[in-house]
Amino acid sequence: MKARILLLPILASALSAADAGDYVERFDTIYNSLTVERRGTIVELRARSRAGDFRESAVDLADPLRLVVPYTRTLFGGLFFKSDPEKVLMVGLGGAGFHRLFAAAYPDVVLHTVELDPKVNELTQSRLYFRPTENTPVTIMDGRQFVKRTTETWDWIILDAYRGGYVPPHLKTEEFYREILAKLSDDGVLITNLHATTELWYSDLRTLSSIFGQVVLFRTTANPGNVIAFAVKYRTPDITNPASWPDTAVLNAPLQGRLDMADIRRERIEWPAAQAARGRILTDDFSPVEFLDAMKRGNTTE
C-alpha cells in the first residue's frame, strides 16, 4: 500500500455542494424508509424502523475525509491484524462515511462494497457526493449472495449492513460466518459492527467465537453501544495481546493526522467470557435477531 493521501474526485463536487441550503427528504423503498437531512455542511442518511430513525452514515461536505460517525474510526482497527490489505470487501454501503478516508489513505487497495438497496447507492452519490472508482466499486446485491458467489479471497471483510438499527438475520448466523471464513485470506480479518446493549450481544459473541479462531473486541469510545469485533481464522499467532500489534506510528503514516491509531488501540476491551457463555448460537434455522436486539440488556447483573 502506498502511504499517501490523494485529493479524491469527490472532494471538488462535495465542496461545491457545501454552499447549498438545509433540507430534509424522505424516500420509501422495498427495503428501507430513508431520510436524508442536510444541516450546514453535514448530510446524514438515516433509516427508519419501529424504534425510530437510525443514522446510517454522515458526511461533512466541507471536509469529506472527516469521520463524522464515531464507529467508522474503530473499523480502522483492522490495521492491527492485517496492516497491508490488498482487497477489502464491505457489506453495507450506508453513506460511504468509511470509504472516503480509507480510499484516500490507501489508493491502491480495492474496496469493493455490496449494497442491497439501489436507492441507498443513488442517494449516497447524489446527496452525499460519493463517487465510486475502479478501486471502490459498488455492487447492488444481497451481501450473503455475493459472498457465496465470489471466487476471490479478501484480506478484510467488513460487515456493516444495518437496516433501521437491525442487521438482517441471515447475516448473523454460523452458516454465514463459515461462508465468510472460506473467502478470507489465510491471514485475513472479519470486521463486524455489533450492538452491545441488547440480548443479541450474547448470541453474537457466542456465534463468532464458535466459528473463528480468535476474536478481539473494541468498544467505540464516543458511542459505547457500538462494539467492533475483529475475527481471524487462525489460533496462532496470538492476536489478543496488543504488544504483538504493529506500531501505531507506522500505521498512522498513511492517515496523515486524520486518525490516531493509538486512540483506537485504547478502545480494546477484554473478552467477556461470562457474557459469551450466556448466548445461543445463531443459525439459519434459529436467528431471532430483531427479537433479541429489542431486548435491552440489564435484566440481570453482569
Side-chain angles (χ1 to χ4, degrees):
M1 295 185 299
K2 296 181 180 179
R4 67 180 189 272
I5 293 282
L6 296 183
L7 184 62
L8 298 180
I10 61 165
L11 291 176
S13 57
L15 287 170
S16 63
D19 295 329
D22 294 355
Y23 60 82
V24 177
E25 297 178 306
R26 295 183 172 86
F27 307 88
D28 289 321
T29 78
I30 62 173
Y31 303 110
N32 290 293
S33 293
L34 302 169
T35 299
V36 179
E37 182 171 357
R38 164 75 180 270
R39 289 173 293 177
T41 62
I42 304 296
V43 181
E44 287 191 1
L45 175 65
R46 301 195 297 270
R48 300 193 299 278
S49 72
R50 293 186 301 273
D53 273 13
F54 288 83
R55 184 169 64 174
E56 299 284 321
S57 191
V59 64
D60 183 348
L61 297 179
D63 186 5
L65 300 186
R66 181 165 77 90
L67 297 171
V68 177
V69 181
Y71 81 86
T72 58
R73 298 171 59 260
T74 310
L75 297 176
F76 282 87
L79 294 169
F80 289 123
F81 311 108
K82 177 63 175 173
S83 61
D84 58 346
E86 295 181 1
K87 292 190 299 182
V88 175
L89 174 64
M90 189 163 192
V91 178
L93 175 64
F98 167 83
H99 297 59
R100 304 161 202 261
L101 178 57
F102 185 89
Y106 309 110
D108 298 323
V109 177
V110 172
L111 172 58
H112 191 142
T113 304
V114 184
E115 170 58 47
L116 179 64
D117 193 337
K119 191 66 175 181
V120 169
N121 184 42
E122 176 193 324
L123 293 173
T124 296
Q125 295 190 47
S126 65
R127 303 298 192 275
L128 284 79
Y129 296 93
F130 174 64
R131 297 289 182 262
T133 68
E134 183 178 11
N135 272 7
T136 59
V138 177
T139 297
I140 303 302
M141 182 185 289
D142 173 77
R144 184 162 179 178
Q145 287 300 313
F146 185 93
V147 170
K148 277 178 175 287
R149 296 176 185 180
T150 182
T151 59
E152 299 184 67
T153 56
W154 304 86
D155 298 313
W156 291 13
I157 297 179
I158 305 172
L159 299 183
D160 191 29
Y162 279 84
R163 190 172 66 202
Y166 296 105
V167 175
H170 68 300
L171 302 182
K172 284 284 191 180
T173 67
E174 65 173 354
E175 290 90 346
F176 179 49
Y177 289 147
R178 290 190 189 281
E179 292 164 3
I180 286 177
L181 203 66
K183 302 302 170 67
L184 273 179
S185 59
D186 288 342
D187 59 348
V189 57
L190 166 67
I191 304 169
T192 183
N193 186 8
L194 306 178
H195 279 170
T197 59
T198 70
E199 291 287 321
L200 180 60
W201 167 245
Y202 306 119
S203 288
D204 278 335
L205 295 174
R206 180 82 181 277
T207 307
L208 281 167
S209 61
S210 73
I211 301 300
F212 291 90
Q214 301 177 77
V215 184
V216 179
L217 304 175
F218 287 55
R219 188 183 299 277
T220 300
T221 300
N223 184 7
N226 269 127
V227 172
I228 308 299
F230 301 85
V232 298
K233 59 173 65 176
Y234 53 87
R235 296 188 181 277
T236 58
D238 181 8
I239 65 166
T240 63
N241 182 1
S244 67
W245 298 353
D247 183 78
T248 56
V250 174
L251 298 181
N252 282 344
L255 302 168
Q256 297 198 4
R258 293 285 179 169
L259 180 63
D260 186 349
M261 292 302 297
D263 291 337
I264 304 304
R265 179 182 173 131
R266 285 189 284 270
E267 293 184 340
R268 174 187 171 270
I269 60 174
E270 295 296 327
W271 178 257
Q275 295 179 19
R278 284 189 52 182
R280 180 169 170 178
I281 292 176
L282 300 172
T283 68
D284 286 346
D285 291 330
F286 177 83
S287 188
V289 168
E290 291 196 17
F291 173 74
L292 292 171
D293 211 19
M295 294 177 62
K296 299 298 182 183
R297 286 180 54 193
N299 296 327
T300 59
T301 301
E302 299 299 341

